[in-house]
Amino acid sequence: MDYTIKIGGEAGQGIQTIGGSLAKALSRSGYHVFTHQDYESRVRGGHNFYQIRFSDKPVSAIREKVDILVAFDTESILRHETELTVNGIIIYDSSFHKQKHNEPYFLDVPFSDLALEHGGNKIMLNTAATGAVLGMLGIETEILIGLIKEDFRTKGDEIISGNIKAAAAGHEYTKNKCAKCSFTITEPSNKKMLINGTEAIGLGAIASGCKFYSAYPMTPATGIMNYIADKEEEYGIIVEQAEDEISAINMALGASFAGVRAMTGTSGGGFALMQEGVSLAGMTETPIVIALGQRPGPATGLPTRTEQADLLFLLHSGHGEFPKIVFAPGTPEQAFYLTNKAFELSEKYQVPAFVITDQYLADTQWTYDSFASDKIKYVDRRLRGDELTKLPEYRRHAFTDSGISPLAVPGASRHLVVTDSDEHDEDGHITENAETRNKMVEKRLFKKMPLIREEISPPLLYGDKEPDILLVGWGSTYGVIKEVVDILSNEKRIAMLHFSEIYPFPLEKKLNYLSLLNNSKLAICIENNATCQFARLIKAETGYIFFENEIKKYDGRPFTLDGLLGEVNAHIRRL
């Protein structure tokens, strides 16, 4: 069982409401779910769609074929009619479209009339449509009713009752009228958690003890701020919407210097504004976690679409030479744990740490049984209370064997806690002494970097342990590459090499990935950008060259399983 549902229409028609309700109902019923959204950068109008793939087996990518299309406007039919599977069905309300479709794969469902007649208000048509899809699949509405009670709990009994009746009416209508519906639904397993990349980063930050988050809204990073802000009272977090990204990063640095774990997040152009702050973190050795949600550029580019084109910009961000840590999760699960690792390593080594994502990972929802909270680490490495008060002396930038200086909380003792954006001495005071300058660079850069690199995990090898064909990816391409490997592994010795801990580049002693690359007959680097930035990073770090065995996509859309499978097969046929 592996079905795809697509809900299409204009912004403002409740596409996300129906898609979100269906995805939750299916995941809570125990199915594996993967959702994807495609929306234009406008509040109303434009063509949007919400796509749900669900199965009795784990799914981690989008497919091009659609089994059920819910068309809220004519454009949805024009754009997606050809995507239908052989047994696919389009449901629509002819009163919206002002026309009837007589082809056998169309089913006219009067969403609006059902909502008015049974729920008492046309506004409940989205609930009727949600019930209609479940009716087509032969899935009962108990879970959906529970979601309605949950979602409308503050609206009163009348609204709840009306929506339940509208859902039941839609369900009953398609159950009785859809003669062509022949979906085979297997027994579900246990109720599952549904989470997207944005929520996972926010949850990871909260679990890591983040107490201050500042940002200026910018897609696709805005969701992180919204998620944390929604929970700020519950977890004692201050969330500040700054006037711009320059303020956002400097507020976070100030909060970190004052003694709490702090984070900021932005996208493309906003990150360009943050560069002086990134360097300030490097010079003052102030811990900070920065989420960078990549989007197609340059400039405002395609604000609500996806691309992996800011990797090299990030690696070279800030001016001057200082260490930084870069993680690029490929799944919400990785986003959760790597956000925690970013906080831990940023505090331990007093360097900026980045979690890099994109619109695709930010918005796609995955199902999991749970995340393991006991894997979350928290070590408060700051000097506080008696430990600080009893110190005979304190030097913020003291030279040490590891390069890591004591990090005290200002105002908590008689010790002066000071730093400077100019070069400084061990006490944190400005200096231009050449010998001190050399020692500070060596402390910040040369002593810390080897230690940080030891903390970096190797890339994930998935599939054949001695592959003839090796598909290489990073960040959000994880899911689609993994499914391509699953499909081709019946006939080929194939594997995926996925990098989620990008910089410092992983050591080979933990996994000899260079040997895997050299010994494979075909190694292909797969990226959502125009210049294969990760392939260039591998070449710079290891000398390995893919020799044009690269699959690139830079139209602002993610790879689909069908599309990538075709491109990989084309490379294999040339062997």
Side-chain angles (χ1 to χ4, degrees):
M1 186 194 83
D2 189 344
Y3 293 122
T4 293
I5 305 164
K6 178 174 276 184
I7 303 106
E10 295 180 359
Q13 285 190 302
I15 308 303
Q16 286 188 333
T17 303
I18 302 172
S21 297
L22 280 171
K24 275 186 185 176
L26 292 167
S27 61
R28 291 190 185 183
S29 295
Y31 296 107
H32 296 275
V33 173
F34 184 87
T35 77
H36 162 61
Q37 295 184 57
D38 185 291
Y39 50 97
E40 298 185 2
S41 179
R42 59 178 73 178
V43 177
R44 289 193 68 84
H47 179 66
N48 295 351
F49 67 79
Y50 191 113
Q51 191 159 313
I52 304 164
R53 183 179 169 205
F54 75 103
S55 173
D56 52 355
K57 298 181 178 61
V59 285
S60 57
I62 53 175
R63 306 209 66 154
E64 292 178 359
K65 288 296 181 182
V66 175
D67 297 284
I68 296 175
L69 172 62
V70 185
F72 276 95
D73 62 1
T74 303
E75 189 171 358
S76 296
I77 296 172
L78 294 174
R79 286 194 183 213
H80 305 300
E81 185 176 355
T82 57
E83 298 171 3
L84 278 189
T85 58
V86 174
N87 295 316
I89 297 173
I90 300 173
I91 60 172
Y92 73 111
D93 185 335
S94 58
S95 67
F96 295 173
H97 296 253
K98 309 299 182 191
Q99 64 175 321
K100 280 267 193 182
H101 295 275
N102 297 318
E103 293 88 344
Y105 51 88
F106 278 93
L107 178 64
D108 185 4
V109 182
F111 303 132
S112 185
D113 291 346
L114 290 173
L116 181 61
E117 181 181 346
H118 297 273
N121 195 323
K122 283 187 177 181
I123 202 171
M124 297 173 187
L125 67 91
N126 290 338
T127 313
T130 308
V133 174
L134 292 180
M136 295 172 72
L137 294 169
I139 297 175
E140 295 304 321
T141 56
E142 286 86 352
I143 302 285
L144 178 59
I145 290 171
L147 287 170
I148 290 171
K149 290 178 179 175
E150 188 178 306
D151 291 342
F152 296 105
R153 62 185 179 280
T154 60
K155 303 287 186 183
D157 292 341
E158 188 178 347
I159 299 295
I160 291 173
S161 174
N163 276 282
I164 290 173
K165 289 175 182 174
H171 187 272
E172 194 67 15
Y173 189 92
T174 54
K175 193 175 172 182
N176 295 327
K177 300 281 186 181
C178 188
K180 196 172 179 293
C181 285
S182 56
F183 303 104
T184 303
I185 302 299
T186 58
E187 281 296 313
S189 57
N190 298 327
K191 173 182 175 182
K192 293 185 170 33
M193 173 176 74
L194 186 69
I195 189 168
N196 65 32
T198 290
E199 294 164 341
I201 291 172
L203 187 62
I206 294 170
S208 302
C210 176
K211 293 299 176 188
F212 185 88
Y213 188 95
S214 52
Y216 181 79
M218 195 169 185
T219 304
T222 308
I224 302 170
M225 178 167 65
N226 293 342
Y227 182 87
I228 297 175
D230 189 49
K231 302 181 184 311
E232 61 180 341
E233 287 188 12
E234 186 177 355
Y235 293 99
I237 303 168
I238 292 175
V239 176
E240 178 71 21
Q241 179 175 320
E243 62 268 35
D244 56 35
E245 287 83 356
I246 299 172
S247 295
I249 189 169
N250 286 306
M251 284 180 182
L253 286 171
S256 179
F257 182 76
V260 299
R261 289 192 167 188
M263 182 176 183
T264 185
T266 188
S267 306
F271 188 57
L273 290 176
M274 287 187 174
Q275 296 312 296
E276 192 171 3
V278 172
S279 290
L280 182 61
M283 174 57 96
T284 59
E285 301 178 80
T286 304
I288 185 172
V289 175
I290 303 169
L292 172 59
Q294 302 169 99
R295 68 187 201 182
T300 30
L302 297 170
T304 59
R305 301 201 178 276
T306 199
E307 201 161 80
Q308 293 181 301
D310 288 341
L311 174 62
L312 296 182
F313 173 36
L314 170 56
L315 291 174
H316 298 96
S317 60
H319 53 282
E321 299 168 301
F322 58 94
K324 55 175 77 87
I325 300 167
V326 180
F327 295 142
T331 69
E333 184 178 34
Q334 287 186 355
F336 176 68
Y337 294 119
L338 287 179
T339 300
N340 176 243
K341 189 168 182 177
F343 272 99
E344 284 302 294
L345 295 190
S346 176
E347 292 271 324
K348 184 175 181 180
Y349 294 101
Q350 300 169 24
V351 299
F354 299 85
V355 180
I356 183 171
T357 179
D358 49 48
Q359 181 270 328
Y360 180 63
L361 178 61
D363 286 340
T364 52
Q365 294 172 301
W366 301 52
T367 44
Y368 298 95
D369 289 331
S370 65
F371 289 164
S373 58
D374 58 352
K375 289 185 180 176
I376 293 294
K377 296 178 181 175
Y378 179 87
V379 179
D380 186 2
R381 301 176 188 278
R382 298 172 192 256
L383 294 172
R384 305 176 192 269
D386 288 346
E387 185 183 13
L388 175 59
T389 305
K390 292 177 181 176
L391 274 180
E393 64 172 10
Y394 172 75
R395 290 182 167 184
R396 168 66 189 98
H397 296 287
F399 296 123
T400 64
D401 291 340
S402 65
I404 304 168
S405 305
L407 181 61
V409 176
S413 71
R414 59 187 169 81
H415 300 299
L416 179 65
V417 179
V418 66
T419 187
D420 200 307
S421 64
D422 285 291
E423 191 55 274
H424 40 250
D425 60 19
E426 290 181 274
D427 290 320
H429 297 305
I430 185 171
T431 182
E432 293 191 24
N433 179 275
E435 182 182 356
T436 302
R437 164 66 179 178
N438 279 341
K439 291 183 71 173
M440 280 295 170
V441 172
E442 289 158 9
K443 165 187 142 49
R444 288 192 296 263
L445 188 61
F446 298 140
K447 288 189 175 180
K448 287 183 183 179
M449 279 296 278
L451 298 177
I452 296 172
R453 199 174 186 197
E454 288 286 343
E455 305 261 12
I456 299 299
S457 298
L460 171 69
L461 178 65
Y462 176 79
D464 198 292
K465 302 303 177 192
E466 297 179 354
D468 291 332
I469 302 160
L470 191 57
L471 307 183
V472 181
W474 64 283
S476 66
T477 54
Y478 171 96
V480 68
I481 298 176
K482 178 176 178 291
E483 287 213 41
V484 168
V485 169
D486 287 338
I487 291 171
L488 296 180
S489 60
N490 291 331
E491 300 174 356
K492 312 284 183 187
R493 298 188 65 177
I494 187 170
M496 170 181 73
L497 192 64
H498 181 267
F499 291 75
S500 59
E501 303 193 24
I502 301 289
Y503 192 81
F505 211 69
L507 292 164
E508 290 174 53
K509 67 181 181 181
K510 296 179 181 177
L511 174 70
N512 195 341
Y513 51 83
L514 197 52
S515 173
L516 287 166
L517 287 165
N518 286 323
N519 292 333
S520 64
K521 294 177 182 175
L522 174 64
I524 309 171
C525 194
I526 299 163
E527 300 189 53
N528 254 135
N529 61 53
T531 59
C532 271
Q533 295 192 13
F534 189 68
R536 291 157 66 188
L537 177 62
I538 289 181
K539 179 184 175 184
E541 292 286 337
T542 70
Y544 183 84
I545 301 174
F546 283 91
F547 291 109
E548 298 185 355
N549 285 320
E550 299 164 341
I551 296 176
K552 301 174 288 187
K553 189 170 174 60
Y554 42 89
D555 58 2
R557 276 73 177 175
F559 287 103
T560 64
L561 178 55
D562 317 72
L564 183 59
L565 185 61
E567 291 202 58
V568 170
N569 274 325
H571 278 265
I572 292 173
R573 282 194 290 272
R574 289 200 288 268
L575 273 177

